[in-house]
Amino acid sequence: MKRFFIYFSFLLFIFLYVGCKSKTKSETEITVEEKVPVKPYNTYKDAIVFKTLSMEFIGPDTILSGWNTFKYMNRANETHFILLDKYPQGKTVEDGEKEIIPVFDKGMDLINEGNAEAGFAEFGKLPEWFPQIVFTGGSGLIAGGETSITTLYLEPGYYVMECYVKMPNGKFHNAIGMIKELIVIDEDSGNIEPKEDVEIAISNDEGIVIADSLPKGQTVFKVTFKDQKLHENFVQTDIHLAEISDSVNLDALESWMDWANPKGLITPVPEGVKFLGGIQEMLAGKHGYFTADLRPGRYVLISEVPASKSKNLLKVFNVSD
């Protein structure tokens, strides 16, 4: 498998090189012909609500820029997340559905069939503009019936919301409806950052740094990505919070968090794990916030990367009564 990852990393280098060279003056800027009226949202009182009932995102198409709080109500039976992709000029959700999703779908099919080399080679068909996508955070994994609260700073632009957790048959959720455009207009929300209760620092050298024990109750986590890294499975470092039982198999959870594993990110989640949100990957030096109601018990913070334990990106902690 290691040689497949090396081959995949080489492909990514080619994408990044081509992507940096591919911008031209002929690119057309995405504009909003009719701006949907949006009032400034107060950080907590008037969060922007998105809802999932099955395999969709229900919510506004247009929001203000600056600091905004997203309240994601997952009313489906499955665990989901929201990843926010800032698309390059001239590209829309239709381009992603036509040029990106089918490539990952076909590659995953081949990996599931046991042909990992052909599966990773399939990713060489990704469009040259793919490396220009900027991943700007979003809600971490959230269990069915639960609600995540995430506060992010968004620059004006054209974004795509997606979830690529997998169905029991291995199909990505974004291939069956969990993808939506979100236009962020050039008008500041006027919101300010929330006040954190707990700080989390994430870096390549130290991994996840947080206190070993936290008090119970509603907790605002500030997550700072001190640097960033592209991992073997084509994702950068992110962070997800889960409440776990005493008997949970952490090795199974670590393996499940890797989408490139045929059994990774696939329904159902490992036994004894209940996801409560987090922050999706964002650029080095950036930070965001998420809120969770902590009950006394055992919890884990984990990143969606291979070998998270050896990278110090799996952190177990306790909440006292």
Side-chain angles (χ1 to χ4, degrees):
M1 181 63 72
K2 182 176 180 181
R3 61 191 288 256
F4 300 149
F5 287 147
I6 294 172
Y7 177 66
F8 191 51
S9 299
F10 173 74
L11 284 175
L12 180 60
F13 172 79
I14 298 298
F15 291 150
L16 292 174
Y17 179 80
V18 173
C20 291
K21 299 291 186 180
S22 63
K23 290 186 178 180
T24 68
K25 293 183 179 179
S26 64
E27 289 180 337
T28 58
E29 183 177 0
I30 296 296
T31 60
V32 185
E33 297 296 335
E34 296 181 4
K35 294 181 180 178
V36 179
V38 181
K39 69 175 183 178
Y41 290 90
N42 177 277
T43 303
Y44 287 109
K45 183 179 178 182
D46 296 310
I48 305 170
V49 177
F50 286 95
K51 184 183 293 185
T52 290
L53 301 179
S54 179
M55 287 288 165
E56 73 289 285
F57 294 121
I58 303 170
D61 300 319
T62 305
I63 65 172
L64 304 181
S65 57
W67 286 104
N68 283 296
T69 294
F70 297 87
K71 181 178 181 181
Y72 177 41
M73 303 169 66
N74 182 9
R75 297 299 176 257
N77 294 324
E78 300 190 43
T79 295
H80 293 298
F81 62 65
I82 297 176
L83 175 62
L84 284 169
D85 315 334
K86 189 173 187 293
Y87 268 31
Q89 290 183 352
K91 299 300 179 183
T92 69
V93 65
E94 288 80 12
D95 295 300
E97 290 175 321
K98 184 189 306 181
E99 301 181 48
I100 295 177
I101 290 178
V103 174
F104 277 101
D105 218 22
K106 178 66 180 298
M108 197 70 238
D109 284 345
L110 290 167
I111 292 172
N112 288 337
E113 292 168 5
N115 195 345
E117 185 169 12
F120 282 105
E122 187 70 18
F123 302 136
K125 298 177 182 178
L126 287 166
E128 63 178 17
W129 57 270
F130 179 76
Q132 298 173 29
I133 295 173
V134 179
F135 300 104
T136 55
S139 168
L141 289 157
I142 183 75
E146 298 294 322
T147 297
S148 70
I149 303 292
T150 313
T151 303
L152 305 169
Y153 187 92
L154 297 181
E155 300 285 351
Y158 186 97
Y159 292 76
V160 169
M161 304 169 59
E162 64 171 324
C163 173
Y164 56 83
V165 175
K166 290 181 277 185
M167 296 286 289
N169 63 3
K171 292 294 184 183
F172 294 111
H173 289 180
N174 57 12
I176 52 177
M178 292 207 73
I179 186 167
K180 172 181 169 57
E181 72 174 6
L182 181 66
I183 297 168
V184 180
I185 64 175
D186 192 8
E187 180 180 346
D188 195 273
S189 68
N191 294 330
I192 61 173
E193 300 179 55
K195 174 61 179 174
E196 72 274 7
D197 299 305
V198 175
E199 290 193 61
I200 301 173
I202 304 179
S203 67
N204 295 326
D205 291 335
E206 298 181 90
I208 297 171
V209 177
I210 187 176
D212 290 326
S213 181
L214 300 178
K216 67 179 180 180
Q218 188 175 64
T219 303
V220 178
F221 295 87
K222 178 181 180 180
V223 180
T224 301
F225 294 87
K226 297 175 68 175
D227 48 32
Q228 214 19 298
K229 178 181 180 179
L230 191 71
H231 296 269
E232 302 92 328
N233 62 347
F234 210 27
V235 301
Q236 299 177 81
T237 308
D238 57 9
I239 190 166
H240 305 265
L241 172 68
E243 186 176 9
I244 57 175
S245 67
D246 291 336
S247 60
V248 72
N249 185 328
L250 291 176
D251 290 334
L253 175 59
E254 178 187 52
S255 178
W256 186 87
M257 291 296 293
D258 179 8
W259 71 265
N261 182 332
K263 298 298 183 182
L265 279 189
I266 196 167
T267 299
V269 303
E271 187 175 353
V273 177
K274 180 181 181 181
F275 285 103
L276 300 174
I279 297 282
Q280 293 286 354
E281 60 194 78
M282 56 177 61
L283 294 174
K286 299 293 185 180
H287 67 275
Y289 302 82
F290 73 94
T291 302
D293 191 10
L294 301 180
R295 305 180 302 175
R298 188 169 179 238
Y299 292 81
V300 65
L301 288 164
I302 187 169
S303 187
E304 185 193 333
V305 303
S308 56
K309 283 192 293 186
S310 66
K311 298 173 182 176
N312 293 318
L313 292 173
L314 188 160
K315 176 76 173 180
V316 175
F317 66 96
N318 295 306
V319 172
S320 55
D321 196 348

